[in-house]
Every structure is written in C-alpha cells, then in structure tokens.
Amino acid sequence: MPIGLIALALGGFGIGLTEFVIMGLLPEVAADFQVSEASAGWLISGYALAVVLGALALTAAVTRFERKPVLAVLLVLFIAGNLISATAPDYWMMMAGRVVAALAHGAFFGIGAVVAADMVEPTRKAGAIAIMFTGLTAANVLGVPFGTMLGQAAGWRSTFWAIIGIGVLALAGILALVPKTGHGEAVPGGLRRELRAFRSGQVWLSILVTILGYGGMFGAFTYIAFTLTEVSGFSAAAVPWLLIVFGVGLFIGNTLGGRAADRNVDGTLLAVLSALAVVLVAFALTAGSQLLTIASMVLMGGFGFATVPGLQMRVMKYADGAPTLASGANIGAFNVGNALGAWLGGLTITAGLGYTSPIWAGAGITLLGLAVMAFAAAKAPASADKAPAFADAPAVSAGSGANAPADSTVPAVR
C-alpha cells in the first residue's frame, strides 16, 4: 500500500470529524445558542451545501495546479474555518465557520480520490479510494464518540479546538507523505476537457444516486442523538458509545464495499441500497427497543457507507480520462444528500411526527436512489464493470464522456 494513502486518510479523518462530530453535540450547541433542533440542524445542512460550492468552484479553479500543494492549501482553509467555529460568539458566526471549513471538504476529497486511484493499478482503484475514505470512517469510529465526550465534558468548543490540532497534523502528513502529483496544465484540454465529462448521462445518473443513496442514511442519522434519548431511552452519556457502534458499521461497510465494487460496481450498489432501505424501515419500526436499535445502527452505518467507494468510482469511470472535476462534483453530491436528509428530517420533526420520522424519511429517499440506480444499471454499456483508467491522459475508449463529439450538448445515457 502506498504510504501516501495514509496521509490522504489522515486528512480525511480531520475533515470527516468536522462534518460529523456536531451531530453528537447538536443538543449542546442548540442549547448554547438558544435555537431549535431544526435550526441547529442547519449547521449540518449549511456545511453540506458549502461543500457542494467548494467541490465545484474550488475544484474547477485548481485543476491546472499541482495537486499536492493544492491539498495542503485546502487543509489550511479547513483549519481556519474550525478556528472561526471554536471562537464563534453566536449562531451565525458558527455558521460562517462551518461554511469556510466546508469549502475545503469537497475539493479535498474530489482531488484526493483521483490521487489515490492513480497510486495503484487499475484493479485496485476502488480499494485505494476506500483507504482514503477510511479517514471518514475512523472519524466516526474514534473521532466522533470521543469528540462528543470531550464536548459534553468540557464544552462543545473544546472539540473544535481539538479538530484544529488534528488539522495541523494532517497538513504535516500531506506535506511529508503524499508524492508530487500531476496537474491540469499537463493535460491537453485542461478544464475544458474536464467539463466535457458532464456530457455523459451516466455521470449525471451516478451523481443523482449519490445524492439519494447517501441522503437516505443521513436523513436518519442527522437527528440520531434525539432518537436515541427520546425514543430508545438511552441517556445522553450513552450517545458517544452508540456512535462508536455506528462507526464500526461504517468501517466494515467502507472496506467491504470497496472490495465488492472492484469486482462489480453496479451489482454492489444495487444490493447495498436495497439492504439499506430494509434496515431503515426496520430501525423506524423497532427504535423503541434498545437492543434492536444497537443492531440497526451497526447495519445502517455498514450498508450506508458501503455505497461510498462504488459511487465515487462509478462517476469517475464514466468521466473516463477527465475525472477530477467529476470526482469533486460527486463529493458535492454526497453533501447535497446530507443536506437533503437533514432538511427533510428537520421538517418531519417540526411537523410533530416524532423522532423516528427522520428515519422514515431516510428510507423513502433511499428507495428513490435504488430506483435511479436500477435505471442507470439497465442503461449502462455491457462493458461497464471493467476497471477504468483514471490517469490524466485522455482515454480512447467507447462510451467515454471525454471522447463525446464536440457539438454534443445533451447528456446521453451511456
């Protein structure tokens, strides 16, 4: 395994912790700023929407530069955003800090996924992406529970100060361990060629599956602290330990999902999305049982995150030869799903439907994602599951968005 993948995972750990830890601290943040649960949830949705902006705008702006220093600059931006959050005097300044940190998120993972895939041979690309995303799972298994405990014991701001320290370590790791990488100016067409990847209808279908599939899990997970304490009957002190359980599921799902996607991307995504929908329905029906809630959290995390390597690899595959911007756009799509799930979950709670209603909303979103995935798989070319090349050189292959006719303006499902 290339040592640079560890550095990418370390950066992913810090960024993932920023995204997820606030879910365990949402009650404390809401109480401190004297806002409602739904308003506090917008600190999650606002972050997610800013990720989309960063994933598209920043990734497009930096495709011409060498990727290693770009990753380092993005981590500096991430550190600055968390500094604003840690010192925020009110809700809106906290939101500003979340937005600044989020701008780095999408571009980091979008560019990092391309770097990770280029470090290994074609048959191991999904596995390499999964290793980078292990930072996200580690953030959930270790960072979120202990960050939540730290925030409950010493105030939620202490958690953000700890994240700043992790960001500094991640920055050092990127500078020391990631090898010198390519950049867009070395590639004929540069940004223009990257944009041509979006002529592929399969790229757009993949992005839509990402939004719906990931949004389903986060529709259930965003308000999980309220579900655990108000429905399942757990104490607030038990929430961090239950998040560890969820994180274990994420870790297992990410690892196994990456291996399965290297063999068959579409088959893996269809199976995992189907299982996730079943788990969410079962969770909503049995949330009053503490034992079944624990089992549901493991399975929800496992099947929810098993989609990530496959979804990322799929969009990169259909952007053959021009993956960087499409990869960043798909990272943005993950966070559109995050925002969608949090928004719908907040609506159901505000409507008085109870703290299991976000889980039902998540199940519905997941079923929509499964339907889109089934359509995309049916329309995919017969050779779709062969290992793609993500190198910067343009690929000459049938069905590549990069090789579409110059006058093509309507995405074709291919």
Side-chain angles (χ1 to χ4, degrees):
M1 177 180 68
I3 194 170
L5 292 177
I6 298 175
L8 293 173
L10 181 62
F13 177 82
I15 293 176
L17 184 56
T18 296
E19 179 176 22
F20 297 128
V21 75
I22 195 170
M23 295 177 184
L25 296 172
L26 213 57
E28 287 77 14
V29 173
D32 190 15
F33 290 135
Q34 298 182 342
V35 297
S36 67
E37 296 99 327
S39 295
W42 270 102
L43 292 171
I44 298 169
S45 299
Y47 181 97
L49 293 174
V51 170
V52 179
L53 176 62
L56 295 174
L58 283 185
T59 303
V62 301
T63 52
R64 70 185 63 183
F65 301 113
E66 184 185 340
R67 294 187 183 118
K68 177 176 178 176
V70 166
L71 291 174
V73 171
L74 291 171
L75 280 177
V76 171
L77 183 63
F78 157 78
I79 292 168
N82 280 287
L83 180 61
I84 295 172
S85 294
T87 58
D90 55 39
Y91 173 84
W92 291 109
M93 186 60 71
M94 176 71 174
M95 180 68 79
R98 297 284 291 168
V99 167
V100 171
L103 291 175
H105 181 129
F108 181 87
F109 280 109
I111 295 170
V114 176
V115 172
D118 284 345
M119 287 183 183
V120 297
E121 59 267 25
T123 58
R124 297 179 59 196
K125 290 185 181 295
I129 294 170
I131 290 173
M132 187 193 74
F133 277 94
T134 297
L136 283 176
T137 60
N140 280 277
V141 175
L142 300 174
V144 171
F146 287 104
T148 301
M149 283 189 283
L150 174 62
Q152 290 176 343
W156 62 265
R157 296 176 190 276
S158 63
T159 301
F160 283 87
W161 283 110
I163 291 172
I164 291 169
I166 293 169
V168 172
L169 291 176
L171 175 60
I174 292 293
L175 293 174
L177 301 176
V178 171
K180 184 177 180 180
T181 57
H183 52 80
E185 286 183 338
V187 186
L191 178 58
R192 183 179 179 182
R193 185 172 60 80
E194 292 279 347
L195 289 170
R196 284 165 56 185
F198 292 96
R199 293 175 180 171
S200 168
Q202 285 290 344
V203 168
W204 287 106
L205 286 171
S206 300
I207 288 173
L208 183 56
V209 174
T210 297
I211 292 171
L212 297 173
Y214 207 61
M217 182 184 73
F218 269 91
F221 185 61
T222 297
Y223 300 95
I224 195 67
F226 297 106
T227 305
L228 295 174
T229 56
E230 301 298 326
V231 180
S232 304
F234 290 103
S235 67
V239 171
W241 300 104
L242 293 167
L243 294 178
I244 292 179
V245 170
F246 178 78
V248 168
L250 294 184
F251 181 82
I252 295 172
N254 180 62
T255 302
L256 297 182
R259 293 175 183 174
D262 270 327
R263 294 190 295 271
N264 187 316
V265 177
D266 287 1
T268 296
L269 290 174
L270 287 168
V272 170
L273 287 170
S274 298
L276 178 60
V278 171
V279 167
L280 290 173
V281 170
F283 188 10
L285 292 172
T286 62
S289 166
Q290 292 188 347
L291 182 61
L292 292 178
T293 291
I294 292 172
S296 294
M297 288 190 67
V298 174
L299 294 173
M300 182 175 72
F303 288 116
F305 225 74
T307 63
V308 173
L311 288 169
Q312 192 68 11
M313 190 172 81
R314 193 178 199 276
V315 76
M316 291 165 65
K317 170 168 49 183
Y318 287 105
D320 191 14
T324 305
L325 188 56
S327 176
N330 201 51
I331 296 299
F334 281 114
N335 286 273
V336 171
N338 188 340
L340 175 65
W343 176 66
L344 289 177
L347 285 182
T348 62
I349 292 174
T350 302
L353 299 179
Y355 289 116
T356 60
S357 59
I359 306 175
W360 285 110
I365 298 170
T366 301
L367 286 173
L368 287 175
L370 176 61
V372 175
M373 184 62 232
F375 176 77
K379 296 296 183 180
S383 60
D385 277 312
K386 69 180 181 178
F390 298 139
D392 282 334
V396 181
S397 59
S400 169
N403 295 310
D407 59 352
S408 175
T409 58
V410 180
V413 180
R414 55 181 185 268

PDB file of all heavy atoms in Angstrom, residues 153-168:
ATOM      1  N   ALA A 153     -18.068  17.068  28.236  1.00  0.00           N
ATOM      2  CA  ALA A 153     -17.342  17.271  29.498  1.00  0.00           C
ATOM      3  C   ALA A 153     -16.750  18.669  29.623  1.00  0.00           C
ATOM      4  O   ALA A 153     -16.740  19.254  30.717  1.00  0.00           O
ATOM      5  CB  ALA A 153     -16.224  16.231  29.620  1.00  0.00           C
ATOM      6  N   ALA A 154     -16.239  19.226  28.533  1.00  0.00           N
ATOM      7  CA  ALA A 154     -15.516  20.495  28.598  1.00  0.00           C
ATOM      8  C   ALA A 154     -16.131  21.576  27.721  1.00  0.00           C
ATOM      9  O   ALA A 154     -15.520  22.625  27.525  1.00  0.00           O
ATOM     10  CB  ALA A 154     -14.054  20.272  28.196  1.00  0.00           C
ATOM     11  N   GLY A 155     -17.323  21.345  27.206  1.00  0.00           N
ATOM     12  CA  GLY A 155     -17.966  22.315  26.333  1.00  0.00           C
ATOM     13  C   GLY A 155     -17.708  21.977  24.875  1.00  0.00           C
ATOM     14  O   GLY A 155     -16.619  21.515  24.519  1.00  0.00           O
ATOM     15  N   TRP A 156     -18.700  22.203  24.031  1.00  0.00           N
ATOM     16  CA  TRP A 156     -18.570  21.796  22.640  1.00  0.00           C
ATOM     17  C   TRP A 156     -17.433  22.521  21.913  1.00  0.00           C
ATOM     18  O   TRP A 156     -16.858  21.993  20.959  1.00  0.00           O
ATOM     19  CB  TRP A 156     -19.889  22.012  21.892  1.00  0.00           C
ATOM     20  CG  TRP A 156     -20.362  23.435  21.806  1.00  0.00           C
ATOM     21  CD1 TRP A 156     -21.233  24.066  22.632  1.00  0.00           C
ATOM     22  CD2 TRP A 156     -19.972  24.405  20.822  1.00  0.00           C
ATOM     23  NE1 TRP A 156     -21.421  25.368  22.243  1.00  0.00           N
ATOM     24  CE2 TRP A 156     -20.667  25.606  21.126  1.00  0.00           C
ATOM     25  CE3 TRP A 156     -19.133  24.383  19.717  1.00  0.00           C
ATOM     26  CZ2 TRP A 156     -20.520  26.771  20.362  1.00  0.00           C
ATOM     27  CZ3 TRP A 156     -18.987  25.537  18.953  1.00  0.00           C
ATOM     28  CH2 TRP A 156     -19.678  26.715  19.281  1.00  0.00           C
ATOM     29  N   ARG A 157     -17.048  23.716  22.387  1.00  0.00           N
ATOM     30  CA  ARG A 157     -15.953  24.441  21.729  1.00  0.00           C
ATOM     31  C   ARG A 157     -14.622  23.702  21.854  1.00  0.00           C
ATOM     32  O   ARG A 157     -13.763  23.791  20.966  1.00  0.00           O
ATOM     33  CB  ARG A 157     -15.824  25.845  22.327  1.00  0.00           C
ATOM     34  CG  ARG A 157     -17.040  26.730  22.079  1.00  0.00           C
ATOM     35  CD  ARG A 157     -16.895  28.079  22.785  1.00  0.00           C
ATOM     36  NE  ARG A 157     -18.145  28.838  22.749  1.00  0.00           N
ATOM     37  CZ  ARG A 157     -18.533  29.602  21.728  1.00  0.00           C
ATOM     38  NH1 ARG A 157     -17.741  29.729  20.681  1.00  0.00           N
ATOM     39  NH2 ARG A 157     -19.686  30.237  21.774  1.00  0.00           N
ATOM     40  N   SER A 158     -14.450  22.970  22.941  1.00  0.00           N
ATOM     41  CA  SER A 158     -13.199  22.231  23.131  1.00  0.00           C
ATOM     42  C   SER A 158     -12.996  21.199  22.026  1.00  0.00           C
ATOM     43  O   SER A 158     -11.859  20.923  21.623  1.00  0.00           O
ATOM     44  CB  SER A 158     -13.197  21.542  24.494  1.00  0.00           C
ATOM     45  OG  SER A 158     -14.231  20.572  24.579  1.00  0.00           O
ATOM     46  N   THR A 159     -14.086  20.652  21.527  1.00  0.00           N
ATOM     47  CA  THR A 159     -13.980  19.681  20.437  1.00  0.00           C
ATOM     48  C   THR A 159     -13.420  20.330  19.185  1.00  0.00           C
ATOM     49  O   THR A 159     -12.582  19.746  18.480  1.00  0.00           O
ATOM     50  CB  THR A 159     -15.361  19.067  20.155  1.00  0.00           C
ATOM     51  OG1 THR A 159     -15.845  18.427  21.337  1.00  0.00           O
ATOM     52  CG2 THR A 159     -15.283  18.057  19.026  1.00  0.00           C
ATOM     53  N   PHE A 160     -13.845  21.547  18.906  1.00  0.00           N
ATOM     54  CA  PHE A 160     -13.355  22.229  17.706  1.00  0.00           C
ATOM     55  C   PHE A 160     -11.894  22.646  17.852  1.00  0.00           C
ATOM     56  O   PHE A 160     -11.151  22.687  16.866  1.00  0.00           O
ATOM     57  CB  PHE A 160     -14.264  23.409  17.363  1.00  0.00           C
ATOM     58  CG  PHE A 160     -15.548  22.983  16.713  1.00  0.00           C
ATOM     59  CD1 PHE A 160     -16.650  22.642  17.479  1.00  0.00           C
ATOM     60  CD2 PHE A 160     -15.636  22.869  15.334  1.00  0.00           C
ATOM     61  CE1 PHE A 160     -17.832  22.209  16.885  1.00  0.00           C
ATOM     62  CE2 PHE A 160     -16.804  22.449  14.726  1.00  0.00           C
ATOM     63  CZ  PHE A 160     -17.911  22.114  15.509  1.00  0.00           C
ATOM     64  N   TRP A 161     -11.467  22.957  19.059  1.00  0.00           N
ATOM     65  CA  TRP A 161     -10.047  23.222  19.267  1.00  0.00           C
ATOM     66  C   TRP A 161      -9.223  21.956  19.010  1.00  0.00           C
ATOM     67  O   TRP A 161      -8.131  22.005  18.435  1.00  0.00           O
ATOM     68  CB  TRP A 161      -9.796  23.748  20.684  1.00  0.00           C
ATOM     69  CG  TRP A 161     -10.167  25.190  20.852  1.00  0.00           C
ATOM     70  CD1 TRP A 161     -11.215  25.690  21.566  1.00  0.00           C
ATOM     71  CD2 TRP A 161      -9.497  26.323  20.283  1.00  0.00           C
ATOM     72  NE1 TRP A 161     -11.252  27.063  21.475  1.00  0.00           N
ATOM     73  CE2 TRP A 161     -10.212  27.483  20.696  1.00  0.00           C
ATOM     74  CE3 TRP A 161      -8.388  26.480  19.462  1.00  0.00           C
ATOM     75  CZ2 TRP A 161      -9.830  28.764  20.319  1.00  0.00           C
ATOM     76  CZ3 TRP A 161      -8.011  27.752  19.084  1.00  0.00           C
ATOM     77  CH2 TRP A 161      -8.720  28.880  19.511  1.00  0.00           C
ATOM     78  N   ALA A 162      -9.768  20.808  19.425  1.00  0.00           N
ATOM     79  CA  ALA A 162      -9.074  19.546  19.164  1.00  0.00           C
ATOM     80  C   ALA A 162      -9.003  19.271  17.658  1.00  0.00           C
ATOM     81  O   ALA A 162      -7.979  18.781  17.148  1.00  0.00           O
ATOM     82  CB  ALA A 162      -9.798  18.402  19.874  1.00  0.00           C
ATOM     83  N   ILE A 163     -10.063  19.612  16.936  1.00  0.00           N
ATOM     84  CA  ILE A 163     -10.066  19.421  15.489  1.00  0.00           C
ATOM     85  C   ILE A 163      -8.989  20.278  14.819  1.00  0.00           C
ATOM     86  O   ILE A 163      -8.347  19.851  13.854  1.00  0.00           O
ATOM     87  CB  ILE A 163     -11.455  19.755  14.917  1.00  0.00           C
ATOM     88  CG1 ILE A 163     -12.472  18.703  15.374  1.00  0.00           C
ATOM     89  CG2 ILE A 163     -11.420  19.826  13.396  1.00  0.00           C
ATOM     90  CD1 ILE A 163     -13.903  19.045  15.025  1.00  0.00           C
ATOM     91  N   ILE A 164      -8.791  21.483  15.324  1.00  0.00           N
ATOM     92  CA  ILE A 164      -7.745  22.349  14.774  1.00  0.00           C
ATOM     93  C   ILE A 164      -6.384  21.667  14.891  1.00  0.00           C
ATOM     94  O   ILE A 164      -5.576  21.664  13.947  1.00  0.00           O
ATOM     95  CB  ILE A 164      -7.735  23.708  15.497  1.00  0.00           C
ATOM     96  CG1 ILE A 164      -9.005  24.486  15.142  1.00  0.00           C
ATOM     97  CG2 ILE A 164      -6.488  24.516  15.134  1.00  0.00           C
ATOM     98  CD1 ILE A 164      -9.224  25.723  15.987  1.00  0.00           C
ATOM     99  N   GLY A 165      -6.121  21.061  16.058  1.00  0.00           N
ATOM    100  CA  GLY A 165      -4.859  20.347  16.237  1.00  0.00           C
ATOM    101  C   GLY A 165      -4.715  19.187  15.259  1.00  0.00           C
ATOM    102  O   GLY A 165      -3.635  18.964  14.689  1.00  0.00           O
ATOM    103  N   ILE A 166      -5.800  18.456  15.055  1.00  0.00           N
ATOM    104  CA  ILE A 166      -5.768  17.353  14.105  1.00  0.00           C
ATOM    105  C   ILE A 166      -5.518  17.869  12.685  1.00  0.00           C
ATOM    106  O   ILE A 166      -4.780  17.253  11.900  1.00  0.00           O
ATOM    107  CB  ILE A 166      -7.089  16.565  14.166  1.00  0.00           C
ATOM    108  CG1 ILE A 166      -7.206  15.864  15.518  1.00  0.00           C
ATOM    109  CG2 ILE A 166      -7.189  15.555  13.029  1.00  0.00           C
ATOM    110  CD1 ILE A 166      -8.563  15.274  15.795  1.00  0.00           C
ATOM    111  N   GLY A 167      -6.109  19.016  12.362  1.00  0.00           N
ATOM    112  CA  GLY A 167      -5.887  19.601  11.050  1.00  0.00           C
ATOM    113  C   GLY A 167      -4.430  19.940  10.805  1.00  0.00           C
ATOM    114  O   GLY A 167      -3.918  19.740   9.696  1.00  0.00           O
ATOM    115  N   VAL A 168      -3.756  20.444  11.818  1.00  0.00           N
ATOM    116  CA  VAL A 168      -2.339  20.761  11.690  1.00  0.00           C
ATOM    117  C   VAL A 168      -1.530  19.485  11.436  1.00  0.00           C
ATOM    118  O   VAL A 168      -0.625  19.448  10.579  1.00  0.00           O
ATOM    119  CB  VAL A 168      -1.833  21.492  12.946  1.00  0.00           C
ATOM    120  CG1 VAL A 168      -0.316  21.646  12.911  1.00  0.00           C
ATOM    121  CG2 VAL A 168      -2.508  22.859  13.072  1.00  0.00           C
TER     122      VAL A 168
END
